C-alpha cells in the first residue's frame, strides 16, 4: 500500500513537471530591442553600426549572408525573418506583397503559432533584432519591447532601390513605402520611438546628431566601449559611395500626392 502511494506521488510530480515545462513559456515575458523601417531604408546600415559596436544580435551564424544588393551584410537573423514571413506570406510567399494580409489574417496566423512566437521571444531576450517586416507584425509580437529604432529614408530613394532589386515600378515602390510607414506609425503610436534619418547619417554635417541618438538607445552596459568616435570610425568603412539628388527625389515624390503628403507629415513630426 505504501509503495503504491509513493508511486502515485512520483507519477503526479512528473505529470506536474511536464505540464509546467509545456506552459512556462506562456508566462515568461522577455524584452526585445527592435530596429525596423521600410525595406531598403537603411536598417542594415544602422544594424551594422550597432553590431560592430559589440551589441548582441544573437548568433551571427544565423544572419543572412551579404549579396549584390547588400554587399556589406544585412545583420538580419533568419529566425526572426522567418517568423515574420509566417505571419505575412502564408501560402503565397513573396507574392503576398502584391496583396498584403489584413490584421485579422495576421492575428489568426499568430494565434495558431502563439507558443512558437513566445519561445522565440524568450530566445532573443534582451537582444537586438532587425527586420523591416515588423512594420506589419509589431502589433502581434513581441509582447514587450525595450527599445524601438525606426529608420527613415526619402521614399523616392527607396522606390528606386526597389525597382533595381525587385523590378517594380517607381509608383508601386512609393505605394509600398506609404503602406509600410503608415501601418508602422499607427501600430507604434503609444511606443517610445527613436527615429534615425538615413540621409542625415550619410551626410557629414548631420552625422553627429544621428549617431548620438544611437548612443542614447544603448544601455549603460552597451555603451561601455562605444562612443561617438568609434561609431564614426565604423561608419566611415560602411558608408555607400553615393551622392543624393534631393531635387530629383522631391520631383519623383510630387507625382504621387498621397506619398508626398505622408512624407511631409513624417518630416514635420519625426525628423
Amino acid at each position: 500500500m505504501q509503495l503504491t502511494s509513493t508511486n502515485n506521488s512520483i507519477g503526479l510530480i512528473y505529470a506536474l513537471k511536464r505540464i509546467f515545462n509545456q506552459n512556462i513559456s506562456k508566462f515568461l515575458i522577455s524584452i526585445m530591442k527592435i530596429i525596423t523601417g521600410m525595406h531598403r531604408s537603411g536598417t542594415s546600415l544602422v544594424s551594422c553600426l550597432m553590431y560592430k559596436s559589440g551589441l548582441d544580435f544573437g548568433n551571427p551564424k544565423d544572419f543572412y549572408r551579404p549579396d549584390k544588393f547588400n554587399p556589406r551584410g544585412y545583420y538580419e537573423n533568419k529566425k526572426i525573418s522567418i517568423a515574420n514571413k509566417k505571419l505575412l506570406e502564408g501560402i503565397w510567399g513573396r507574392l503576398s506583397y502584391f496583396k498584403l494580409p489584413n490584421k485579422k489574417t495576421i492575428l489568426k496566423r499568430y494565434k495558431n503559432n502563439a507558443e512558437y512566437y513566445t519561445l522565440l521571444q524568450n530566445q532573443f531576450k534582451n537582444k537586438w533584432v532587425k527586420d523591416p517586416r515588423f512594420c506589419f507584425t509589431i502589433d502581434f509580437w513581441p509582447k514587450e519591447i525595450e527599445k524601438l529604432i525606426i529608420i527613415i529614408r526619402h521614399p523616392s530613394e527607396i522606390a528606386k532601390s526597389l525597382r533595381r532589386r525587385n523590378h517594380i515600378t517607381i509608383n508601386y515602390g512609393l505605394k509600398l513605402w506609404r503602406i509600410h510607414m503608415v501601418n508602422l506609425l499607427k501600430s507604434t503610436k503609444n511606443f517610445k520611438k527613436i527615429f534615425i534619418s538615413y540621409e542625415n547619417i550619410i551626410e557629414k554635417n548631420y552625422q553627429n546628431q544621428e549617431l548620438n541618438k544611437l548612443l542614447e538607445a544603448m544601455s549603460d552596459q552597451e555603451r561601455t566601449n562605444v562612443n561617438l568616435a568609434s561609431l564614426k570610425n565604423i561608419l566611415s568603412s560602411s558608408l555607400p559611395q553615393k551622392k543624393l539628388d534631393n531635387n530629383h527625389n522631391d520631383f519623383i515624390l510630387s507625382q504621387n500626392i498621397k506619398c508626398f503628403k505622408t512624407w511631409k507629415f513624417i518630416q514635420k513630426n519625426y525628423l
Side-chain angles (χ1 to χ4, degrees), residues 111-127:
K111 285 183 174 179
N112 288 339
N113 294 280
E115 188 171 350
Y116 161 76
Y117 287 97
T118 302
L119 290 170
L120 189 59
Q121 182 174 330
N122 291 333
Q123 184 179 342
F124 284 87
K125 179 180 180 180
N126 298 325
K127 291 178 171 55

Side-chain angles (χ1 to χ4, degrees), residues 88-89 92-102 136 162 165-169 171-173 175-176 179-180:
L88 294 177
E89 295 183 356
W92 297 106
R94 292 184 179 181
L95 291 175
S96 63
Y97 263 82
F98 289 97
K99 186 172 175 56
L100 287 158
N102 57 35
F136 294 104
L162 288 172
R165 188 185 73 171
N166 301 98
H167 309 292
I168 61 177
T169 65
N171 195 55
Y172 192 70
K175 180 182 177 181
L176 281 177
I179 293 170
H180 278 71

